[in-house]
Amino acid sequence: MRYALRVDANQTEVISALEAAGAKVLVIGQPVDLLVGLPDGKKFAFFEIKDGSKPPSARKKTKVQEKFFAMFPGYPICLVDSPECALRHLRILQT
């Protein structure tokens, strides 16, 4: 039996900020929340959104996410907790 994926409360705001900055965003849900096409059209990154209003203990990566992050060291996988954080990551990735 499949269960509905939980969506972080700030996901809509993060997606809106990324799209306003020119990124293409696809919600993939698992193992991370988003596949983000950078505005230059030549790079992709994965974004995992955590709800920044929750305590740190509630923002931990799942076991599946831990495994995914470990499988791809050095690849652009961003852990973000706000629209501002997502935009900072986007700017860094564009350099």
Side-chain angles (χ1 to χ4, degrees):
M1 174 186 255
R2 290 195 63 169
Y3 295 92
L5 297 175
R6 282 183 268 175
V7 175
D8 295 288
N10 55 344
Q11 181 169 304
T12 301
E13 291 84 12
V14 169
I15 291 171
S16 294
L18 290 168
E19 289 178 336
K24 302 291 185 196
V25 180
L26 177 65
V27 177
I28 57 175
Q30 283 293 328
V32 292
D33 294 314
L34 309 174
L35 175 62
V36 178
L38 277 60
D40 67 7
K42 297 180 182 178
K43 297 179 191 171
F44 287 97
F46 291 103
F47 278 55
E48 173 55 26
I49 303 169
K50 297 295 182 186
D51 189 343
S53 67
K54 291 186 177 180
S57 61
R59 289 184 263 157
K60 291 183 178 179
K61 291 179 272 192
T62 66
K63 289 181 183 180
V64 171
Q65 291 167 349
E66 290 283 357
K67 185 177 179 181
F68 183 76
F69 275 64
M71 280 178 60
F72 298 100
Y75 284 80
I77 306 173
C78 306
L79 189 62
V80 302
D81 62 4
S82 68
E84 297 79 20
C85 181
L87 292 175
R88 280 193 305 273
H89 280 274
L90 192 63
R91 283 192 296 274
I92 291 167
L93 290 167
Q94 288 178 296
T95 59

